[in-house]
């Protein structure tokens, strides 16, 4: 199997070197830069399997960079590195398309484990289909209805896939969290709600013949 390509943006030169050397020893093909503009250029030029993005960059906020990546069609999972672990901080990152958070200082083994989990979850073997007029495309990482298509982040893809796989049945909130995020990730109630809102908007843009309905106190279903 080809080594996963991981792009890293981190302005601390010492940490940047540690990440590149350590990930290479773990079987990753790691490339690093110190600024967001360069990472954006690299990620658009050649597909990466995962991105490690420091939030506190000298030229931009890592969350703004993530939003720019998604706008350019880059759908690789994003693992944020941050010195702050507040709820507002995490929610802001998830809303712009981030997939996981790791707070500094961190154990290198945990970073490797989180990257491996993100890679597993971003490569579903058998994407579910639906008789509700929606199709998932694992190659393009997109959802389609009729002749319209919208790109999905890895987390969005996993969540809509879980809902589609239930064939209109209710999916409990805890099961959606398990499907959407790596094991051990801290996912608050508002985080899942934010992703469901993003998916609802995309289904509206598709003029999809179904919608995500809230089953209060339980979870969600496609109807």
């Amino acid at each position: 199997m080809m080594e996963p390509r991981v792009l890293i943006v981190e302005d601390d030169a010492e940490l940047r070197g540690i990440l590149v050397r350590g990930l290479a020893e773990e079987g990753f093909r790691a490339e690093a830069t110190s600024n967001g503009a360069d990472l954006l250029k690299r990620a658009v030029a050649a597909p990466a399997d995962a991105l490690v993005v420091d939030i506190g960059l000298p030229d931009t906020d890592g969350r703004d960079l993530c939003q720019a990546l998604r706008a350019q069609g880059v759908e690789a999972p994003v693992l944020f590195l941050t010195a702050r672990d507040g709820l507002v901080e995490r929610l802001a990152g998830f809303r712009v398309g981030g997939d996981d958070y790791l707070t500094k200082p961190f154990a290198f083994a945990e970073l490797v484990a989180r990257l491996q989990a993100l890679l597993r979850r971003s490569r579903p073997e058998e994407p579910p289909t639906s008789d509700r007029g929606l199709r998932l495309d694992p190659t393009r990482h997109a959802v389609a209805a009729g002749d319209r298509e919208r790109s999905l982040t890895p987390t969005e893809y996993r969540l809509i896939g879980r809902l589609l796989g239930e064939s209109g049945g209710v999916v409990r909130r805890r099961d959606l969290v398990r499907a959407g995020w790596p094991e051990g990730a801290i996912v608050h109630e508002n985080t899942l709600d934010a992703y469901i809102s993003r998916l609802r908007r995309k289904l509206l843009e598709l003029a999809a013949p179904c919608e995500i309905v809230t089953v209060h106190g339980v979870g969600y279903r496609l109807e």
Side-chain angles (χ1 to χ4, degrees):
M1 181 181 294
M2 191 173 182
E3 295 177 332
R5 181 178 184 238
V6 177
L7 295 181
I8 303 162
V9 57
E10 167 59 60
D11 65 321
D12 185 303
E14 183 178 0
L15 178 56
R16 194 165 63 244
I18 291 171
L19 292 176
V20 170
R21 291 191 299 271
L23 288 175
E25 292 174 0
E26 294 291 333
F28 294 88
R29 187 160 47 100
E31 302 173 25
T33 182
S34 61
N35 66 86
D38 188 41
L39 180 109
L40 179 61
K41 181 179 178 181
R42 294 190 191 197
V44 171
D49 296 293
L51 304 168
V52 177
V53 176
D54 183 26
I55 285 183
L57 295 170
D59 64 329
T60 186
D61 184 296
R63 291 161 298 196
D64 293 337
L65 173 59
C66 181
Q67 197 164 25
L69 286 163
R70 299 309 188 211
Q72 290 291 319
V74 176
E75 299 298 340
V78 171
L79 171 62
F80 283 121
L81 302 181
T82 178
R84 292 174 290 176
D85 191 33
L87 174 60
V88 173
E89 182 102 355
R90 291 194 299 272
L91 289 178
F94 288 130
R95 288 192 185 105
V96 296
D99 296 278
D100 199 4
Y101 261 87
L102 194 54
T103 306
K104 298 177 180 179
F106 54 84
F108 181 74
E110 183 177 4
L111 179 135
V112 171
R114 286 180 180 270
L115 279 176
Q116 290 172 336
L118 286 174
L119 289 172
R120 285 195 302 271
R121 289 169 178 264
S122 66
R123 295 170 177 170
E125 295 179 3
E126 295 184 7
T129 58
S130 173
D131 58 0
R132 287 165 171 74
L134 292 182
R135 305 184 308 278
L136 283 183
D137 185 332
T139 302
R140 298 170 63 83
H141 232 71
V143 60
D147 60 355
R148 298 183 180 184
E149 180 181 278
R150 289 293 181 273
S151 295
L152 300 172
T153 68
T155 300
E156 290 171 348
Y157 187 95
R158 294 189 293 270
L159 291 174
I160 193 69
R162 183 68 180 83
L163 288 166
L164 288 175
E166 202 62 31
S167 298
V170 178
V171 183
R172 294 182 178 276
R173 294 181 65 91
R174 65 171 180 268
D175 292 330
L176 280 170
V177 170
R178 288 170 183 162
W181 285 270
E183 184 176 353
I186 300 174
V187 183
H188 294 268
E189 293 282 327
N190 290 345
T191 303
L192 177 60
D193 295 336
Y195 270 87
I196 293 296
S197 293
R198 287 162 59 98
L199 285 171
R200 281 173 168 156
R201 285 197 298 272
K202 292 189 177 185
L203 293 184
L204 282 173
E205 292 168 0
L206 289 171
C210 60
E211 62 179 337
I212 300 174
V213 175
T214 302
V215 181
H216 294 287
V218 183
Y220 299 94
R221 72 167 183 262
L222 278 172
E223 183 176 283

